Amino acid sequence: MTKARLYSGMQPSADSLQIGNYIGALMQWRDLQESYDAFFSVVDLHAITQPNDPSELREKTRRTAAQYIAAGIEPAKSTLYVQSHVSAHAELAWILGTLTGFGEAGRMTQFKDKSQRYGQDATSVGLFTYPVLMAADILLYQTAVVPVGDDQKQHIELTRVLAERFNSRFGDTFRVPMPVIQQDTARIYDLQNPLAKMSKSAESDAGVLWLLDDPSASAKKIMRAVTDSEGSVRYDREAKPGVSNLLVIYAALSGRQIPAIEDEYAGRGYGDFKKGLAEVLVSEFEPVRARALELLDDPAELDRVLGANADHAAEVAETTLSDVYDRMGLLRRR
Ligand code: AQP
């Protein structure tokens, strides 16, 4: 039986991924690649909706791909490639843009938030059409499921609307994908501000745990993480967001249940709990970090693997794109 197709991606927007990317996405991708025909992309075309230094972007792209592999995404099993290596993404995005209402795109809350944050002069048309490119990413591969965070739900809904619109105007072409929304317990918050999601682009470094950071630097950040004055290790997202966040990280990285961790630290202080978490984090990340650095030591081999995977992605994408051009009545070059 052929496996259903799955698509997901991350932006190469920093030198290292943060542990929210690892727990919220990579760990799940690693499991999902067993039961799906998975496509995982490093979405560099999305990343350029923000200003980027060209040589840094190239390096961040390799680094992101290396971290996918180090975290367990197997390029022989999944299709792991760089978005801009497959030109069909940009081509289909243009086509879908002609089917997207201006008001429809303007209602996207991520655009509203980001454009407000950057100001009008720093907001590009590319940022506005970001969800249309995302729709193209997904639809090119006849994707059945898209694992995403809650914040991406609206973009997947737009993807579904665009697929249905195209299918009803031009004939059945796209599979209408389903989102798989990540559980709230997989959401990781900033260590210094546990009400804000941990993010690569956080203003302060103190609240972010980086996958490629020196483990002792990460341990220090955990020891300084914001908690509360109650002193008991107990999950309560409302009343104790800092401790709850640390418990979620602990549980995700150790594979244990939160109540078992609460029991272990009952009657002990936050210091002990944080030390325990730091040990768990170091033992989980040390091999991932070492493997990523090893892959980055041989960029030619990494580029070769990415190129071979992009060839496969392009083959699948071209089939869909060709149908799209035909159905829309574009005269094909012979
Ligand atoms: N804090 C988080 N907790 C759980 N999951 C998270 N993800 C991101 N942050 C957390 C998941 O990681 C993937 C990365 O998606 P992205 O790189 O396209 O952008 P993002 O979601 O905006 O991630 P960042 O780290 O916050 O990047 P910047 O700062 O560049 O915007 C997604 O699957 C996301 O759900």
Side-chain angles (χ1 to χ4, degrees), residues 8-14 16-26 28-29 43 46 50 64 68 110 114 117-118 130 147-152 182-184 186-190 196-202 210:
S8 205
M10 271 188 226
Q11 298 184 69
S13 46
S16 170
L17 297 176
Q18 41 93 5
I19 63 149
N21 303 133
Y22 183 80
I23 294 172
L26 287 174
Q28 300 177 33
W29 294 2
V43 291
H46 283 283
Q50 315 263 338
T64 304
Y68 281 13
Q110 180 175 293
K114 287 197 174 173
R117 222 180 318 142
Y118 308 151
Y130 184 112
V148 282
D150 198 38
D151 53 335
Q152 294 299 316
Q182 141 201 124
Q183 311 256 323
D184 185 45
R187 177 142 289 236
I188 307 303
Y189 295 86
D190 190 285
K197 121 181 162 65
M198 192 180 283
S199 179
K200 293 187 225 94
S201 53
W210 302 103

Side-chain angles (χ1 to χ4, degrees), residues 183-189 194 228 230 232-251 257-263 265 270 273:
Q183 311 256 323
D184 185 45
T185 46
R187 177 142 289 236
I188 307 303
Y189 295 86
D228 51 63
E230 191 199 50
S232 72
V233 178
R234 181 170 69 76
Y235 183 88
D236 181 339
R237 182 69 86 188
E238 296 283 302
K240 296 164 70 67
V243 171
S244 301
N245 187 38
L246 297 179
L247 273 167
V248 168
I249 298 173
Y250 201 131
Q257 298 295 316
I258 288 179
I261 303 167
E262 288 172 336
D263 284 351
Y265 290 98
Y270 290 151
F273 169 56

